[in-house]
Amino acid sequence: MSRVTKSQLPEGIPMTVFPQLEIPETLAAGPGPGNTDPRVLERFAKTGVADHMQADVLRGMIEAKLMLRELWGTKNAYTYGVAGTGFSGLDCVLSLILPGDKVVAFPNGTFSGIDSLTIRMKASTAEELAADSLNPKPASVTVVETPHGQSVTGEAVDAALAKHKPMWAFMAHWETGSGRVNDVKGFSDACLKHGVMGIVDAVSSLGVGDFNIDDYPGVVAWASCPQKGVLSLPLTYAPVSFTDKAIEMVKKRGCRTYVHHPILDARHWGIIDGKDVDAPGYHQTHSCYAVAAFHEALRIILGYGRARKASDYKYHEAALRQAVEAMGCEVTSDMPSLVVLNLPGKLAGREKELVQAARAKGFGIWPTLSEPVQVRIGILNQLSPEQITEIASRFADGMLAMGAEFDKAQVLNQLKSYYAKAA
Ligand SMILES: *Cc1c(COP(=O)(O)O)cnc(C)c1O
């Protein structure tokens, strides 16, 4: 047996072993990821090593699938998790789109903008992709932009679908970049009216809002993520759901991916030929740790109750909104898990500086990632008066350190009376 020693490495290649990686605990007060529940981390760490075809791992995946149908509010057989992050699930649902397909996309911020780029890549012909491979502009895709800070309306979708008569339409349910809730009912209705198949990015609404996707039959495919409302960051699964109509399209036309193939990926979750089976088939090497963590995250949400969770988010968002307004900020978002704001006149233009100073202290707030620059403060898994007060207090400190003028004690007292009144 030979061992590689330093002397055997080619000249000029240093052999370096770095110290163990330490990452501190921070307060995740941004749009995502959310603060992981200790129960999820415990399942992750306490799970024994077992391969991806071991009976309890497979049972965990089948149970997770059944819990996911509950969370999504659907009877769709093709409901499961795509290994990876939100964009892994989006890649899976957007793989329905083939080169040359006619699509209308309705972005209104950073994430739906990236989704629109994915759509343009998938819908491009070989020539269109080669012409500008990182930013293709296929003739078959129409992008209807709604300005940052505004929501996509059902009327706008209806008008564009009437005009362009596409095969597919795409929208984000809640656009996390600008913190806006889009009209998913209007979108679904317009899709039905014009015979279009809708695809929705529900990355930041699943696990925060209370909705049943089966109430929106114009939408044939949905994708979410592990790290926002589902609160299972230990890299787990992006929930997806397809109607039978979407799966029929894939069966008929195919799709250019193995790992994110809507039909093939479903096999490992015990979904074969549109039916639940007890004996799943291999698709890829799923992690027993990820399965256990994801399973626990779903148990937590369903145990808490989807409706109760949604109303708690609204209640605490309103508290934080009031507090930052009392500090002189202007809130432009309408999402229940996130506050997107403009700083008061005196501090305007210093958003990134404020965010950086907060982050350096382990208070993880965010700026917007595309223009205009605003501050984003999120409350994922922070559903108690104490946690909201901590977020408000740390944000107040950051603003005061930059010269803002307000009375912090008064702001916190007002927050206290909001909670006292409600109790
Ligand atoms: C966060 C987010 C994404 C991306 O999710 P990742 O987990 O970072 O891949 C996509 N769409 C929306 C609406 C999001 O909020």
Side-chain angles (χ1 to χ4, degrees), residues 142-417:
T142 305
V143 176
V144 178
E145 297 263 3
T146 297
H148 178 102
Q150 293 177 29
S151 297
V152 180
T153 64
E155 296 77 56
V157 175
D158 182 45
L161 298 190
K163 181 171 170 203
H164 300 287
K165 301 246 173 275
M167 177 176 187
W168 309 100
F170 169 84
M171 186 183 77
H173 187 192
W174 298 0
E175 168 52 66
T176 329
S178 50
R180 298 296 305 188
V181 172
N182 294 328
D183 179 4
V184 76
K185 181 169 190 312
F187 178 82
S188 171
D189 289 349
C191 286
L192 285 180
K193 178 172 161 193
H194 299 287
V196 174
M197 289 177 284
I199 303 177
V200 166
D201 172 342
V203 162
S204 54
S205 53
L206 186 71
V208 177
D210 186 25
F211 57 95
N212 294 318
I213 60 172
D214 284 359
D215 292 340
Y216 305 105
V219 181
V220 303
W222 301 77
S224 189
C225 83
Q227 45 94 358
K228 288 182 176 133
V230 174
L231 291 160
S232 190
L233 179 62
L235 193 59
T236 63
Y237 292 99
V240 293
S241 189
F242 299 88
T243 63
D244 291 346
K245 186 174 180 185
I247 294 300
E248 280 308 314
M249 288 300 295
V250 180
K251 218 182 268 171
K252 195 166 97 193
R253 305 196 310 157
C255 131
R256 295 175 185 274
T257 170
Y258 167 80
V259 74
H260 290 162
H261 195 292
I263 295 173
L264 298 182
D265 195 354
R267 293 173 303 179
H268 214 132
W269 299 84
I271 306 160
I272 297 176
D273 290 335
K275 298 206 171 54
D276 286 327
V277 298
D278 299 336
Y282 167 73
H283 182 64
Q284 66 192 130
T285 304
H286 287 284
S287 152
C288 52
Y289 310 113
V291 169
F294 186 55
H295 186 274
E296 189 67 9
L298 295 171
R299 291 182 68 241
I300 292 172
I301 301 185
L302 296 178
Y304 194 104
R306 214 181 63 179
R308 184 178 147 220
K309 199 149 216 195
S311 82
D312 283 2
Y313 271 114
K314 280 192 188 151
Y315 170 61
H316 290 292
E317 186 271 349
L320 180 62
R321 170 185 292 261
Q322 236 178 55
V324 298
E325 282 173 351
M327 298 177 210
C329 301
E330 180 204 8
V331 176
T332 62
S333 55
D334 63 355
M335 254 175 72
S337 54
L338 183 67
V339 167
V340 182
L341 57 87
N342 294 320
L343 293 176
K346 201 178 156 198
L347 298 187
R350 296 176 67 193
E351 293 80 10
K352 284 190 173 159
E353 185 188 335
L354 174 78
V355 166
Q356 267 161 20
R359 294 178 67 84
K361 294 197 180 100
F363 177 45
I365 58 174
W366 282 77
T368 47
L369 299 178
S370 39
E371 296 295 320
V373 183
Q374 294 183 284
V375 177
R376 295 185 295 161
I377 312 176
I379 60 169
L380 290 171
N381 217 12
Q382 299 293 292
L383 301 177
S384 75
E386 295 72 29
Q387 287 165 311
I388 297 297
T389 304
E390 171 75 10
I391 290 172
S393 169
R394 290 176 78 161
F395 186 65
D397 291 343
M399 282 185 63
L400 291 169
M402 282 179 47
E405 282 156 11
F406 60 84
D407 182 350
K408 181 181 169 185
Q410 197 184 323
V411 169
L412 293 187
N413 268 333
Q414 195 181 313
L415 191 56
K416 209 170 176 177
S417 52

